[in-house]
mmCIF file of all heavy atoms in Angstrom:
data_model
loop_
_atom_site.group_PDB
_atom_site.id
_atom_site.type_symbol
_atom_site.label_atom_id
_atom_site.label_comp_id
_atom_site.label_asym_id
_atom_site.label_seq_id
_atom_site.Cartn_x
_atom_site.Cartn_y
_atom_site.Cartn_z
ATOM 1 N N GLY A 1 0.836 -1.190 0.000
ATOM 2 C CA GLY A 1 0.000 0.000 0.000
ATOM 3 C C GLY A 1 0.873 1.242 0.000
ATOM 4 O O GLY A 1 2.069 1.168 0.242
ATOM 5 N N GLU A 2 0.276 2.376 -0.258
ATOM 6 C CA GLU A 2 1.036 3.621 -0.311
ATOM 7 C C GLU A 2 1.063 4.346 1.030
ATOM 8 O O GLU A 2 1.948 5.142 1.287
ATOM 9 C CB GLU A 2 0.439 4.541 -1.376
ATOM 10 C CG GLU A 2 0.560 3.962 -2.766
ATOM 11 C CD GLU A 2 -0.134 4.827 -3.807
ATOM 12 O OE1 GLU A 2 -0.505 5.971 -3.497
ATOM 13 O OE2 GLU A 2 -0.295 4.331 -4.932
ATOM 14 N N GLY A 3 0.087 4.113 1.868
ATOM 15 C CA GLY A 3 -0.004 4.814 3.138
ATOM 16 C C GLY A 3 0.688 4.075 4.268
ATOM 17 O O GLY A 3 1.300 3.028 4.080
ATOM 18 N N LYS A 4 0.571 4.646 5.442
ATOM 19 C CA LYS A 4 1.188 4.043 6.626
ATOM 20 C C LYS A 4 0.326 2.918 7.194
ATOM 21 O O LYS A 4 0.803 2.103 7.962
ATOM 22 C CB LYS A 4 1.407 5.099 7.704
ATOM 23 C CG LYS A 4 2.472 6.100 7.331
ATOM 24 C CD LYS A 4 2.699 7.078 8.454
ATOM 25 C CE LYS A 4 3.793 8.056 8.061
ATOM 26 N NZ LYS A 4 4.057 9.013 9.130
ATOM 27 N N ILE A 5 -0.932 2.896 6.845
ATOM 28 C CA ILE A 5 -1.839 1.890 7.404
ATOM 29 C C ILE A 5 -1.584 0.537 6.741
ATOM 30 O O ILE A 5 -1.554 0.418 5.523
ATOM 31 C CB ILE A 5 -3.309 2.295 7.217
ATOM 32 C CG1 ILE A 5 -3.590 3.603 7.945
ATOM 33 C CG2 ILE A 5 -4.238 1.188 7.707
ATOM 34 C CD1 ILE A 5 -4.981 4.157 7.693
ATOM 35 N N LYS A 6 -1.393 -0.479 7.551
ATOM 36 C CA LYS A 6 -1.228 -1.863 7.093
ATOM 37 C C LYS A 6 -2.127 -2.729 7.970
ATOM 38 O O LYS A 6 -2.312 -2.450 9.147
ATOM 39 C CB LYS A 6 0.216 -2.347 7.256
ATOM 40 C CG LYS A 6 1.271 -1.413 6.696
ATOM 41 C CD LYS A 6 1.367 -1.513 5.194
ATOM 42 C CE LYS A 6 2.512 -0.719 4.644
ATOM 43 N NZ LYS A 6 2.276 0.674 4.420
ATOM 44 N N ILE A 7 -2.676 -3.778 7.406
ATOM 45 C CA ILE A 7 -3.523 -4.661 8.201
ATOM 46 C C ILE A 7 -3.070 -6.116 8.060
ATOM 47 O O ILE A 7 -2.462 -6.491 7.059
ATOM 48 C CB ILE A 7 -5.012 -4.536 7.829
ATOM 49 C CG1 ILE A 7 -5.251 -4.958 6.382
ATOM 50 C CG2 ILE A 7 -5.521 -3.134 8.050
ATOM 51 C CD1 ILE A 7 -6.713 -5.112 6.043
ATOM 52 N N LEU A 8 -3.382 -6.912 9.053
ATOM 53 C CA LEU A 8 -3.184 -8.360 9.019
ATOM 54 C C LEU A 8 -4.560 -8.962 8.794
ATOM 55 O O LEU A 8 -5.490 -8.712 9.575
ATOM 56 C CB LEU A 8 -2.597 -8.861 10.333
ATOM 57 C CG LEU A 8 -2.503 -10.375 10.488
ATOM 58 C CD1 LEU A 8 -1.590 -10.974 9.431
ATOM 59 C CD2 LEU A 8 -2.028 -10.731 11.884
ATOM 60 N N ALA A 9 -4.721 -9.706 7.721
ATOM 61 C CA ALA A 9 -6.015 -10.282 7.365
ATOM 62 C C ALA A 9 -5.968 -11.801 7.552
ATOM 63 O O ALA A 9 -5.087 -12.461 7.011
ATOM 64 C CB ALA A 9 -6.362 -9.938 5.927
ATOM 65 N N ILE A 10 -6.909 -12.334 8.297
ATOM 66 C CA ILE A 10 -6.969 -13.777 8.564
ATOM 67 C C ILE A 10 -8.284 -14.308 7.995
ATOM 68 O O ILE A 10 -9.363 -13.856 8.385
ATOM 69 C CB ILE A 10 -6.874 -14.069 10.072
ATOM 70 C CG1 ILE A 10 -5.555 -13.496 10.614
ATOM 71 C CG2 ILE A 10 -6.975 -15.569 10.329
ATOM 72 C CD1 ILE A 10 -5.428 -13.557 12.109
ATOM 73 N N HIS A 11 -8.158 -15.250 7.063
ATOM 74 C CA HIS A 11 -9.356 -15.791 6.407
ATOM 75 C C HIS A 11 -10.119 -16.741 7.322
ATOM 76 O O HIS A 11 -9.615 -17.198 8.339
ATOM 77 C CB HIS A 11 -8.972 -16.498 5.099
ATOM 78 C CG HIS A 11 -8.136 -17.728 5.285
ATOM 79 N ND1 HIS A 11 -8.657 -18.929 5.700
ATOM 80 C CD2 HIS A 11 -6.812 -17.943 5.100
ATOM 81 C CE1 HIS A 11 -7.691 -19.836 5.761
ATOM 82 N NE2 HIS A 11 -6.557 -19.260 5.407
ATOM 83 N N GLY A 12 -11.340 -17.048 6.927
ATOM 84 C CA GLY A 12 -12.181 -17.972 7.682
ATOM 85 C C GLY A 12 -11.902 -19.419 7.319
ATOM 86 O O GLY A 12 -11.034 -19.728 6.501
ATOM 87 N N GLY A 13 -12.636 -20.325 7.926
ATOM 88 C CA GLY A 13 -12.465 -21.747 7.681
ATOM 89 C C GLY A 13 -12.830 -22.154 6.267
ATOM 90 O O GLY A 13 -13.605 -21.482 5.580
ATOM 91 N N MET A 14 -12.261 -23.230 5.815
ATOM 92 C CA MET A 14 -12.527 -23.808 4.495
ATOM 93 C C MET A 14 -12.230 -22.825 3.355
ATOM 94 O O MET A 14 -12.923 -22.787 2.351
ATOM 95 C CB MET A 14 -13.973 -24.309 4.399
ATOM 96 C CG MET A 14 -14.342 -25.325 5.465
ATOM 97 S SD MET A 14 -13.277 -26.784 5.483
ATOM 98 C CE MET A 14 -13.752 -27.544 3.951
ATOM 99 N N SER A 15 -11.194 -21.992 3.527
ATOM 100 C CA SER A 15 -10.822 -21.039 2.489
ATOM 101 C C SER A 15 -9.324 -20.782 2.529
ATOM 102 O O SER A 15 -8.603 -21.435 3.283
ATOM 103 C CB SER A 15 -11.600 -19.732 2.669
ATOM 104 O OG SER A 15 -11.231 -19.084 3.860
ATOM 105 N N ASP A 16 -8.849 -19.850 1.723
ATOM 106 C CA ASP A 16 -7.446 -19.454 1.744
ATOM 107 C C ASP A 16 -7.371 -17.936 1.697
ATOM 108 O O ASP A 16 -8.403 -17.266 1.705
ATOM 109 C CB ASP A 16 -6.664 -20.108 0.587
ATOM 110 C CG ASP A 16 -7.216 -19.772 -0.777
ATOM 111 O OD1 ASP A 16 -7.484 -18.582 -1.048
ATOM 112 O OD2 ASP A 16 -7.392 -20.689 -1.591
ATOM 113 N N TYR A 17 -6.159 -17.376 1.648
ATOM 114 C CA TYR A 17 -6.022 -15.917 1.717
ATOM 115 C C TYR A 17 -6.726 -15.188 0.580
ATOM 116 O O TYR A 17 -7.067 -14.014 0.709
ATOM 117 C CB TYR A 17 -4.563 -15.486 1.820
ATOM 118 C CG TYR A 17 -3.672 -15.799 0.632
ATOM 119 C CD1 TYR A 17 -3.718 -15.048 -0.529
ATOM 120 C CD2 TYR A 17 -2.762 -16.832 0.691
ATOM 121 C CE1 TYR A 17 -2.898 -15.331 -1.606
ATOM 122 C CE2 TYR A 17 -1.926 -17.120 -0.377
ATOM 123 C CZ TYR A 17 -1.995 -16.361 -1.526
ATOM 124 O OH TYR A 17 -1.184 -16.634 -2.593
ATOM 125 N N THR A 18 -7.029 -15.854 -0.516
ATOM 126 C CA THR A 18 -7.701 -15.186 -1.636
ATOM 127 C C THR A 18 -9.188 -14.941 -1.378
ATOM 128 O O THR A 18 -9.815 -14.153 -2.079
ATOM 129 C CB THR A 18 -7.540 -15.977 -2.946
ATOM 130 O OG1 THR A 18 -8.163 -17.256 -2.803
ATOM 131 C CG2 THR A 18 -6.080 -16.130 -3.318
ATOM 132 N N SER A 19 -9.760 -15.590 -0.377
ATOM 133 C CA SER A 19 -11.180 -15.364 -0.083
ATOM 134 C C SER A 19 -11.433 -13.926 0.371
ATOM 135 O O SER A 19 -12.563 -13.448 0.318
ATOM 136 C CB SER A 19 -11.687 -16.351 0.966
ATOM 137 O OG SER A 19 -11.058 -16.121 2.209
ATOM 138 N N LEU A 20 -10.380 -13.240 0.777
ATOM 139 C CA LEU A 20 -10.492 -11.848 1.215
ATOM 140 C C LEU A 20 -10.169 -10.855 0.106
ATOM 141 O O LEU A 20 -10.120 -9.643 0.337
ATOM 142 C CB LEU A 20 -9.564 -11.618 2.407
ATOM 143 C CG LEU A 20 -9.867 -12.479 3.637
ATOM 144 C CD1 LEU A 20 -8.751 -12.353 4.664
ATOM 145 C CD2 LEU A 20 -11.197 -12.102 4.228
ATOM 146 N N ASN A 21 -9.959 -11.340 -1.124
ATOM 147 C CA ASN A 21 -9.588 -10.458 -2.231
ATOM 148 C C ASN A 21 -10.534 -9.269 -2.426
ATOM 149 O O ASN A 21 -10.050 -8.152 -2.627
ATOM 150 C CB ASN A 21 -9.466 -11.233 -3.541
ATOM 151 C CG ASN A 21 -8.192 -12.035 -3.629
ATOM 152 O OD1 ASN A 21 -7.310 -11.931 -2.783
ATOM 153 N ND2 ASN A 21 -8.085 -12.854 -4.662
ATOM 154 N N PRO A 22 -11.858 -9.447 -2.412
ATOM 155 C CA PRO A 22 -12.727 -8.282 -2.634
ATOM 156 C C PRO A 22 -12.462 -7.139 -1.648
ATOM 157 O O PRO A 22 -12.458 -5.976 -2.028
ATOM 158 C CB PRO A 22 -14.137 -8.846 -2.469
ATOM 159 C CG PRO A 22 -14.004 -10.299 -2.797
ATOM 160 C CD PRO A 22 -12.634 -10.690 -2.279
ATOM 161 N N ILE A 23 -12.194 -7.482 -0.413
ATOM 162 C CA ILE A 23 -11.923 -6.459 0.603
ATOM 163 C C ILE A 23 -10.495 -5.928 0.460
ATOM 164 O O ILE A 23 -10.268 -4.718 0.412
ATOM 165 C CB ILE A 23 -12.125 -7.039 2.018
ATOM 166 C CG1 ILE A 23 -13.586 -7.441 2.214
ATOM 167 C CG2 ILE A 23 -11.665 -6.062 3.091
ATOM 168 C CD1 ILE A 23 -13.826 -8.290 3.435
ATOM 169 N N LEU A 24 -9.518 -6.843 0.391
ATOM 170 C CA LEU A 24 -8.116 -6.440 0.373
ATOM 171 C C LEU A 24 -7.719 -5.699 -0.896
ATOM 172 O O LEU A 24 -6.910 -4.771 -0.851
ATOM 173 C CB LEU A 24 -7.213 -7.651 0.599
ATOM 174 C CG LEU A 24 -7.414 -8.361 1.942
ATOM 175 C CD1 LEU A 24 -6.477 -9.555 2.054
ATOM 176 C CD2 LEU A 24 -7.229 -7.404 3.098
ATOM 177 N N TYR A 25 -8.287 -6.072 -2.028
ATOM 178 C CA TYR A 25 -7.977 -5.370 -3.279
ATOM 179 C C TYR A 25 -8.540 -3.949 -3.256
ATOM 180 O O TYR A 25 -7.909 -3.011 -3.734
ATOM 181 C CB TYR A 25 -8.508 -6.138 -4.488
ATOM 182 C CG TYR A 25 -7.726 -7.393 -4.826
ATOM 183 C CD1 TYR A 25 -6.670 -7.833 -4.039
ATOM 184 C CD2 TYR A 25 -8.051 -8.138 -5.934
ATOM 185 C CE1 TYR A 25 -5.967 -8.985 -4.359
ATOM 186 C CE2 TYR A 25 -7.349 -9.289 -6.274
ATOM 187 C CZ TYR A 25 -6.309 -9.705 -5.476
ATOM 188 O OH TYR A 25 -5.601 -10.839 -5.802
ATOM 189 N N THR A 26 -9.728 -3.779 -2.682
ATOM 190 C CA THR A 26 -10.309 -2.444 -2.548
ATOM 191 C C THR A 26 -9.454 -1.580 -1.618
ATOM 192 O O THR A 26 -9.187 -0.412 -1.902
ATOM 193 C CB THR A 26 -11.754 -2.529 -2.016
ATOM 194 O OG1 THR A 26 -12.528 -3.313 -2.923
ATOM 195 C CG2 THR A 26 -12.379 -1.159 -1.859
ATOM 196 N N LEU A 27 -9.008 -2.173 -0.515
ATOM 197 C CA LEU A 27 -8.134 -1.436 0.401
ATOM 198 C C LEU A 27 -6.826 -1.051 -0.287
ATOM 199 O O LEU A 27 -6.347 0.076 -0.136
ATOM 200 C CB LEU A 27 -7.853 -2.271 1.655
ATOM 201 C CG LEU A 27 -9.037 -2.475 2.598
ATOM 202 C CD1 LEU A 27 -8.685 -3.479 3.683
ATOM 203 C CD2 LEU A 27 -9.473 -1.148 3.207
ATOM 204 N N GLN A 28 -6.246 -1.982 -1.061
ATOM 205 C CA GLN A 28 -4.998 -1.689 -1.754
ATOM 206 C C GLN A 28 -5.189 -0.539 -2.753
ATOM 207 O O GLN A 28 -4.330 0.333 -2.875
ATOM 208 C CB GLN A 28 -4.449 -2.934 -2.457
ATOM 209 C CG GLN A 28 -3.065 -2.686 -3.056
ATOM 210 C CD GLN A 28 -2.509 -3.876 -3.790
ATOM 211 O OE1 GLN A 28 -3.232 -4.645 -4.406
ATOM 212 N NE2 GLN A 28 -1.193 -4.032 -3.728
ATOM 213 N N GLN A 29 -6.297 -0.534 -3.454
ATOM 214 C CA GLN A 29 -6.580 0.554 -4.398
ATOM 215 C C GLN A 29 -6.682 1.903 -3.689
ATOM 216 O O GLN A 29 -6.504 2.949 -4.297
ATOM 217 C CB GLN A 29 -7.869 0.267 -5.170
ATOM 218 C CG GLN A 29 -7.709 -0.856 -6.170
ATOM 219 C CD GLN A 29 -9.040 -1.281 -6.770
ATOM 220 O OE1 GLN A 29 -10.083 -1.244 -6.126
ATOM 221 N NE2 GLN A 29 -8.994 -1.702 -8.029
ATOM 222 N N ASN A 30 -6.958 1.857 -2.380
ATOM 223 C CA ASN A 30 -7.063 3.079 -1.583
ATOM 224 C C ASN A 30 -5.813 3.312 -0.719
ATOM 225 O O ASN A 30 -5.866 4.061 0.258
ATOM 226 C CB ASN A 30 -8.323 3.028 -0.717
ATOM 227 C CG ASN A 30 -9.572 3.214 -1.545
ATOM 228 O OD1 ASN A 30 -9.892 4.325 -1.936
ATOM 229 N ND2 ASN A 30 -10.251 2.122 -1.867
ATOM 230 N N GLY A 31 -4.707 2.645 -1.074
ATOM 231 C CA GLY A 31 -3.424 2.900 -0.429
ATOM 232 C C GLY A 31 -3.139 2.118 0.836
ATOM 233 O O GLY A 31 -2.153 2.374 1.518
ATOM 234 N N ILE A 32 -3.985 1.144 1.171
ATOM 235 C CA ILE A 32 -3.801 0.376 2.409
ATOM 236 C C ILE A 32 -3.231 -0.992 2.079
ATOM 237 O O ILE A 32 -3.810 -1.766 1.318
ATOM 238 C CB ILE A 32 -5.135 0.239 3.173
ATOM 239 C CG1 ILE A 32 -5.643 1.632 3.544
ATOM 240 C CG2 ILE A 32 -4.963 -0.635 4.409
ATOM 241 C CD1 ILE A 32 -7.029 1.656 4.135
ATOM 242 N N GLY A 33 -2.076 -1.298 2.660
ATOM 243 C CA GLY A 33 -1.428 -2.586 2.436
ATOM 244 C C GLY A 33 -1.944 -3.645 3.394
ATOM 245 O O GLY A 33 -2.573 -3.338 4.412
ATOM 246 N N SER A 34 -1.679 -4.915 3.072
ATOM 247 C CA SER A 34 -2.140 -5.998 3.940
ATOM 248 C C SER A 34 -1.194 -7.194 3.872
ATOM 249 O O SER A 34 -0.498 -7.397 2.883
ATOM 250 C CB SER A 34 -3.552 -6.441 3.550
ATOM 251 O OG SER A 34 -3.560 -6.952 2.236
ATOM 252 N N LEU A 35 -1.212 -7.963 4.931
ATOM 253 C CA LEU A 35 -0.499 -9.225 5.009
ATOM 254 C C LEU A 35 -1.533 -10.301 5.280
ATOM 255 O O LEU A 35 -2.375 -10.153 6.174
ATOM 256 C CB LEU A 35 0.531 -9.210 6.142
ATOM 257 C CG LEU A 35 1.222 -10.532 6.462
ATOM 258 C CD1 LEU A 35 2.106 -10.969 5.291
ATOM 259 C CD2 LEU A 35 2.037 -10.419 7.729
ATOM 260 N N SER A 36 -1.521 -11.356 4.486
ATOM 261 C CA SER A 36 -2.428 -12.480 4.703
ATOM 262 C C SER A 36 -1.686 -13.768 4.380
ATOM 263 O O SER A 36 -0.679 -13.751 3.686
ATOM 264 C CB SER A 36 -3.696 -12.343 3.839
ATOM 265 O OG SER A 36 -3.354 -12.180 2.483
ATOM 266 N N PHE A 37 -2.168 -14.861 4.896
ATOM 267 C CA PHE A 37 -1.492 -16.142 4.684
ATOM 268 C C PHE A 37 -2.497 -17.271 4.829
ATOM 269 O O PHE A 37 -3.583 -17.091 5.380
ATOM 270 C CB PHE A 37 -0.344 -16.320 5.683
ATOM 271 C CG PHE A 37 -0.741 -16.038 7.105
ATOM 272 C CD1 PHE A 37 -1.301 -17.022 7.901
ATOM 273 C CD2 PHE A 37 -0.594 -14.763 7.627
ATOM 274 C CE1 PHE A 37 -1.689 -16.747 9.198
ATOM 275 C CE2 PHE A 37 -0.971 -14.475 8.927
ATOM 276 C CZ PHE A 37 -1.519 -15.472 9.723
ATOM 277 N N ASN A 38 -2.119 -18.422 4.330
ATOM 278 C CA ASN A 38 -2.976 -19.596 4.431
ATOM 279 C C ASN A 38 -2.798 -20.255 5.786
ATOM 280 O O ASN A 38 -1.703 -20.255 6.355
ATOM 281 C CB ASN A 38 -2.661 -20.590 3.315
ATOM 282 C CG ASN A 38 -3.131 -20.071 1.979
ATOM 283 O OD1 ASN A 38 -4.111 -19.346 1.903
ATOM 284 N ND2 ASN A 38 -2.429 -20.423 0.929
ATOM 285 N N LEU A 39 -3.872 -20.826 6.273
ATOM 286 C CA LEU A 39 -3.847 -21.560 7.532
ATOM 287 C C LEU A 39 -3.836 -23.060 7.224
ATOM 288 O O LEU A 39 -4.538 -23.511 6.318
ATOM 289 C CB LEU A 39 -5.071 -21.199 8.382
ATOM 290 C CG LEU A 39 -5.174 -19.717 8.763
ATOM 291 C CD1 LEU A 39 -6.508 -19.443 9.443
ATOM 292 C CD2 LEU A 39 -4.028 -19.324 9.666
ATOM 293 N N SER A 40 -3.074 -23.799 7.959
ATOM 294 C CA SER A 40 -2.891 -25.226 7.730
ATOM 295 C C SER A 40 -4.208 -25.995 7.756
ATOM 296 O O SER A 40 -4.999 -25.860 8.684
ATOM 297 C CB SER A 40 -1.954 -25.788 8.801
ATOM 298 O OG SER A 40 -1.819 -27.167 8.661
#
């Protein structure tokens, strides 16, 4: 992201980090970066 704001995004069960794409991509377009990862 371009701004100072960064978030840690944790997906729900039966999914992976891409399930949050609609939210995280919108945030990125508005300068907010994020870190997400898959859960075992």
Side-chain angles (χ1 to χ4, degrees):
E2 296 175 12
K4 291 183 179 181
I5 299 174
K6 310 282 187 276
I7 63 169
L8 173 62
I10 301 172
H11 66 77
M14 303 303 291
S15 66
D16 58 47
Y17 65 77
T18 63
S19 66
L20 299 170
N21 284 353
I23 296 167
L24 299 179
Y25 287 4
T26 301
L27 290 172
Q28 186 182 34
Q29 289 171 327
N30 287 283
I32 299 172
S34 62
L35 172 66
S36 54
F37 49 86
N38 289 329
L39 299 173
S40 176

